[in-house]
């Protein structure tokens, strides 16, 4: 097939992103919620926004204030199984109350007639997001930073992640996130059940052997009595808005839940390693080594990382990332079955190959 184009694999969704038919209704909604201010512009977020653009829109009011409308995906364009859209909103609201770097939320709207599905409104934050394609280890604005700035960006990123984990979940009004566990059925049980069903949802009667193997290993080696923290769920540089080296907003809380802190750290490291592979095994010259990244997190969190839990959740991250990529390719109209098979079979680029490497050769 020649060179494999992986731009689609981490990004674009092929859904109808035109809200013009809802403009009048949304304008009326804005006039009520924003006390008479008029809607001036409503546009989909740029398609290079790492996959979030499928459900996100930027709108401007007549006082030049800008906001983001996040719309729940529907129908054939769902990327998440059993997505708890309202909990995504509530989690951001609660984190913001605790002075964490997340976007301020303004309103949650259940009425599907306004824009076609439930949605919420949050602040528009200026800044830069590392691209998923081309890998930030190869090109882009992060590559233009100095060596010292790249190292500082790493430290700031892991400090922001640690700030999420320092919160006591019981001090936040997180509602349904706590209801996923019950006596004899932990939050980890819930996650494993979720991903087993996700595997069936994405692959049907053609499961990936690598995924089946990972799920079996995760069940057999299940962590007992893990300490629970708020888990961002999709922690990575590509879900962070930066100004220079400063993390000004952690975004994309679609799969927020409760888990050990090592789960988010493992996800961050695994996705970073995947980006390194996609850059031909190159890293930015100032990027911290894996041991330095872990040490930066430990310093910020003031807690030692449990290496066994970190490895467990690295296997988990490899499994889940592979299924996310599989699902994303399945909902993009211009991606053929041949494209998908080529990527998933690629020795250099396949997330299934990465998952096998994680399981056979502990990465950290």
């Amino acid at each position: 097939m020649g060179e494999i184009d992986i731009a689609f694999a981490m990004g674009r969704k092929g859904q109808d992103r035109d809200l013009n038919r809802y403009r009048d209704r949304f304008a009326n909604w804005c006039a009520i919620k924003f006390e008479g201010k008029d809607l001036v512009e409503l546009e989909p977020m740029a398609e290079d926004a790492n996959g979030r653009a499928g459900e996100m829109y930027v709108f401007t009011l007549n006082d030049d204030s800008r906001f983001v409308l996040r719309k729940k995906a529907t129908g054939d364009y769902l990327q998440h199984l059993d997505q708890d859209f309202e909990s995504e909103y509530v989690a951001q609201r609660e984190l913001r109350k605790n002075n964490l770097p997340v976007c301020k939320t303004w309103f949650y709207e259940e009425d599907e007639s306004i824009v076609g599905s439930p949605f919420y409104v949050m602040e528009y934050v200026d800044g830069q997001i590392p691209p998923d394609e081309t890998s930030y280890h190869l090109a882009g604005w992060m590559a233009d930073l100095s060596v010292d700035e790249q190292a500082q960006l790493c430290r700031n990123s892991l400090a922001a992640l640690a700030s999420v984990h320092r919160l006591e979940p019981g001090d936040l009004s997180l509602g349904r996130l706590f209801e996923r566990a019950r006596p004899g059925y932990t939050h980890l049980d819930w996650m494993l059940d979720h991903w087993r069903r996700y595997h069936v949802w994405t692959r049907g009667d053609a499961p990936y052997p690598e995924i089946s193997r990972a799920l079996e290993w995760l069940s057999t080696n299940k962590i007992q009595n893990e300490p629970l923290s708020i888990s961002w769920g999709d922690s990575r540089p590509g879900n962070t808005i930066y100004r220079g080296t400063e993390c000004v907003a952690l975004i994309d809380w679609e799969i927020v839940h409760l888990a050990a802190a090592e789960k988010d750290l493992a996800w961050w490291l695994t996705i970073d390693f995947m980006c390194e592979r996609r850059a031909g095994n190159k890293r930015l010259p100032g990027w911290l080594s894996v041991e330095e990244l872990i040490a930066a997190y430990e310093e910020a969190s003031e807690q030692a990382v449990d290496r066994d839990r970190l490895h467990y959740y690295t296997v988990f991250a490899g499994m889940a990332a592979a299924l996310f990529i599989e699902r994303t390719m399945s909902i993009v109209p211009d991606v053929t079955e041949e494209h998908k098979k080529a990527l998933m079979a690629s020795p250099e680029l396949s997330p299934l190959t990465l998952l096998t490497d994680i399981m056979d050769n502990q990465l950290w």
Side-chain angles (χ1 to χ4, degrees), residues 6-12 50-51 132 236 271 274 278 325 328:
I6 62 171
F8 59 80
M10 300 293 285
R12 299 186 304 271
N50 290 357
D132 281 333
R236 57 192 178 96
I271 299 301
M274 185 180 295
R278 290 168 55 219
I325 292 173
T328 301

Side-chain angles (χ1 to χ4, degrees), residues 161-167 229-232 261-262 264-265 297:
L161 181 60
S163 70
V164 175
H165 300 152
R166 281 199 301 270
L167 293 177
S229 301
I230 309 300
S231 179
W232 180 1
E262 283 84 359
D264 276 344
L265 178 59
Y297 175 84

Side-chain angles (χ1 to χ4, degrees), residues 25-26 56 79 115 139 141 148 257 277 282 305 359:
R25 271 180 257 177
F26 183 65
M56 296 182 71
Q79 190 170 25
V115 296
W141 65 269
D148 289 343
H257 53 280
R277 281 196 168 192
K282 296 178 181 178
V305 168
M359 295 193 68

Side-chain angles (χ1 to χ4, degrees), residues 35 57 69 92 168 204 225-226 236 245 262 295 343 357:
E35 300 179 346
Y57 304 79
L69 182 160
Q92 289 182 86
E168 288 293 333
N225 303 316
E226 62 177 342
R236 57 192 178 96
T245 64
E262 283 84 359
L343 176 63
D357 288 347

Side-chain angles (χ1 to χ4, degrees), residues 86-210:
E86 186 172 3
S87 287
E88 174 187 335
Y89 166 81
V90 170
Q92 289 182 86
R93 183 193 67 195
E94 292 296 306
L95 293 170
R96 178 70 181 217
K97 286 181 182 178
N98 285 270
N99 299 314
L100 266 72
V102 299
C103 300
K104 180 179 179 181
T105 53
W106 290 86
F107 306 106
Y108 182 83
E109 180 57 67
E110 293 182 343
D111 187 348
E112 298 183 9
S113 70
I114 307 298
V115 296
S117 66
F119 67 93
Y120 62 85
V121 170
M122 57 186 171
E123 68 175 328
Y124 179 90
V125 176
D126 282 312
Q128 294 176 292
I129 300 174
D132 281 333
E133 180 59 33
T134 302
S135 168
Y136 55 79
H137 279 301
L138 193 62
W141 65 269
M142 286 171 61
D144 295 331
L145 298 175
S146 70
V147 169
D148 289 343
E149 287 172 330
Q150 290 168 0
Q152 188 59 46
L153 183 144
C154 288
R155 295 188 186 95
N156 290 344
S157 298
L158 292 166
L161 181 60
S163 70
V164 175
H165 300 152
R166 281 199 301 270
L167 293 177
E168 288 293 333
D171 293 340
L172 282 67
S173 299
L174 294 175
R176 291 190 294 268
L177 294 186
F178 286 98
E179 297 169 8
R180 292 168 175 170
R182 57 184 182 271
Y185 186 80
T186 66
H187 287 280
L188 181 53
D189 290 323
W190 173 84
M191 284 192 287
L192 292 174
D193 177 68
H194 174 87
W195 287 102
R196 289 188 197 98
R197 292 186 297 111
Y198 197 103
H199 192 198
V200 173
W201 184 52
T202 56
R203 295 295 300 169
D205 59 359
Y208 284 125
E210 297 91 341

Side-chain angles (χ1 to χ4, degrees), residues 261-273:
E262 283 84 359
K263 180 176 183 296
D264 276 344
L265 178 59
W267 191 280
W268 201 100
L269 293 172
T270 302
I271 299 301
D272 182 51
F273 188 64

